Amino acid sequence: MTFLAQALKIKDQTIAWRRDLHRHPELGFKEVRTAQIVADELTRLGMDVTTGVGKTGVVGMLLGAAETPVLLLRFDMDALRIQEETGAVYASQNPGVMHACGHDAHTAVGLSVARLLAARRESLPGTIKFVFQPAEELDGGAAHMIADGVLTKPTPDYVMGMHVWNERPVGWYGLTPGPSMAGADIFTVRVSGKGGHGAQPHITRDPILAVAHIVTALQSIVSRNVNPLDSAVVSVTQLESGTANNIIPQEAVFTGTLRSFKPEVGALIKDRFYTLIETIAGAMGCQAEIDFIKVTEPVINDPRLAALMGQVAAAVDPGAKVDTAFQTMGGEDFSLMMQTIPGCFMMVGSANPERGLDYGHHHPKFDIDEACLPYAVAILAQGAVEVLESGR
Ligand code: NI
């Protein structure tokens, strides 16, 4: 029986898992119930299971007919702080928390892939490390799992992961060789001046005016410094200051994110970012304190693995549309697991505009067409076997 036939046979179970997780979403590092479901199922399949990896992560080792090569398959489990508005029968029962990015689907797909591959363990040409990761959205989950040794004992030869993608219909697969998702930095900037009476600006140092100039000037980085043939984003997304209409405040704070695909572009943006903020704040008589955090590296798919997975997708799904030019400025902390190990991150089209299932990720009405799930399961299971075979 083909993996697709098997995946279609257990489709109801995959959907049941996804809907159960959707009803009971949990925020990053709080995936206690989710992790328990995962650990129970992997244990039931006869795997050697470790819980509490990177706080709430779960790792299951599936030993096949050979010890090596080792393939790591990663699925994320966390939800978002959003009040769901889908009205679905399986809508979130946890107020203010929602699976609005599809990580419920990823966990369900991971459990189904585990089930299919565990049933074939005697003929599996290597070892598969099933990794269920917490807190992708908080951009700390992958780093925490790595700090807890998920990439050691044994060190994987390959890493693979997936994400449902609601900007493309079911049947579409994003498998771009090279850079496909952006690296992301986040920042908080605190500009302090000298507060005072709104009617006596001349004896103050107004941080609001300084920040207004800074936010405007930051938009010159992409338009004036980055090569127009490269891509980058500079977004200020939060700005806070002041308490009343007759007080010039002491301080103004803004936060945001920087994104790019190439390390050299990332370095250029960061350099210009610091220079503009420090010099403009200084010129306005204020001081800037910059808190800068690198949260993800760009997702750069190994060309050989991306090509292999593209062939697998086309072979498994007769209606597959494999896109090898897809790129998004969205970030993914799976990139941290791909830094030193060849990897492939597959995007799986999950939208169905006719059924209204095409709201974007992180929208309160986000929902997917579950028809994509058995295909994702079959492609990952088949892909896992072929990647292991190719590495023998
Ligand atoms: Ni996501």
Side-chain angles (χ1 to χ4, degrees):
M1 206 196 280
T2 64
F3 276 121
L4 181 60
Q6 285 177 284
L8 289 169
K9 209 174 146 198
I10 64 162
K11 187 179 105 186
D12 290 349
Q13 175 65 67
T14 309
I15 290 173
W17 270 323
R18 185 255 161 173
R19 292 186 175 193
D20 175 67
L21 296 170
H22 196 90
R23 275 191 196 97
H24 305 284
E26 296 173 300
L27 292 171
F29 297 128
K30 293 188 174 140
E31 306 92 335
V32 177
R33 181 181 180 276
T34 308
Q36 189 64 53
I37 291 169
V38 169
D40 286 349
E41 176 63 14
L42 299 185
T43 303
R44 202 188 63 77
L45 293 172
M47 291 190 203
D48 187 5
V49 177
T50 313
T51 57
V53 184
K55 299 192 184 177
T56 40
V58 181
V59 177
M61 294 292 295
L62 179 63
L63 307 173
E67 225 170 272
T68 57
V70 179
L71 166 67
L72 183 155
L73 289 180
R74 176 273 208 176
F75 306 91
D76 47 10
M77 305 188 289
D78 58 319
L80 287 153
R81 203 179 286 283
I82 293 176
Q83 180 63 43
E84 178 158 354
E85 292 176 14
T86 61
V89 288
Y90 46 83
S92 170
Q93 294 174 4
N94 188 355
V97 182
M98 176 192 178
H99 268 296
C101 197
H103 301 186
D104 50 342
H106 304 166
T107 303
V109 166
L111 292 177
S112 295
V113 172
R115 191 175 276 197
L116 297 197
L117 291 176
R120 293 202 188 184
R121 62 196 310 164
E122 284 84 14
S123 61
L124 200 63
T127 297
I128 298 185
K129 204 174 207 177
F130 283 91
V131 170
F132 289 82
Q133 184 202 301
E136 194 283 325
E137 303 286 2
L138 300 180
D139 299 307
H144 274 81
M145 290 197 92
I146 292 168
D148 272 2
V150 78
L151 297 183
T152 62
K153 294 185 206 162
T155 296
D157 299 290
Y158 310 103
V159 294
M160 292 210 293
M162 55 115 15
H163 207 297
V164 291
W165 200 243
N166 241 26
E167 290 172 21
R168 298 288 191 281
V170 175
W172 174 94
Y173 302 92
L175 283 160
T176 303
S180 71
M181 298 182 81
D185 304 317
I186 54 171
F187 57 81
T188 300
V189 180
R190 207 166 278 280
V191 176
S192 48
K194 186 175 165 223
H197 201 293
Q200 296 175 309
H202 59 294
I203 55 169
T204 70
R205 296 278 181 261
D206 184 357
I208 290 185
L209 183 61
V211 164
H213 281 282
I214 289 169
V215 171
T216 306
L218 289 178
Q219 294 310 313
S220 71
I221 298 176
V222 174
S223 71
R224 303 292 92 174
N225 301 130
V226 173
N227 184 328
L229 297 175
D230 286 326
S231 314
V233 169
V234 175
S235 289
V236 174
T237 55
Q238 227 180 351
L239 207 159
E240 244 173 58
S241 185
T243 52
N245 57 17
N246 59 355
I247 301 171
I248 289 173
Q250 194 72 24
E251 184 179 85
V253 180
F254 63 95
T255 72
T257 183
L258 310 178
R259 311 258 165 151
S260 58
F261 287 112
K262 294 182 182 168
E264 61 270 28
V265 175
L268 168 76
I269 297 173
K270 185 177 176 183
D271 183 58
R272 292 296 300 150
F273 179 81
Y274 271 83
T275 303
L276 286 170
I277 292 172
E278 281 163 358
T279 52
I280 294 172
M284 296 276 176
C286 297
Q287 263 136 33
E289 192 188 305
I290 302 171
D291 184 17
F292 191 93
I293 303 171
K294 168 159 286 306
V295 285
T296 64
E297 298 286 348
V299 170
I300 301 176
N301 288 325
D302 178 74
R304 184 184 76 83
L305 290 184
L308 190 152
M309 288 305 290
Q311 286 163 14
V312 169
V316 168
D317 180 352
K321 222 177 148 286
V322 177
D323 185 346
T324 55
F326 169 77
Q327 285 188 319
T328 170
M329 295 312 291
E332 226 322 317
D333 76 352
F334 181 60
S335 56
L336 301 178
M337 299 190 183
M338 305 171 83
Q339 285 305 293
T340 51
I341 302 168
C344 181
F345 193 66
M346 174 171 73
M347 310 303 280
V348 176
S350 53
N352 184 336
E354 281 107 76
R355 290 178 51 203
L357 301 172
D358 59 350
Y359 285 93
H361 294 260
H362 299 201
H363 189 283
K365 289 186 176 166
F366 172 87
D367 198 2
I368 59 163
D369 185 344
E370 292 162 329
C372 70
L373 300 180
Y375 290 94
V377 170
I379 291 167
L380 279 175
Q382 180 75 36
V385 170
E386 295 201 12
V387 166
L388 288 177
E389 262 164 14
S390 79
R392 292 177 81 188

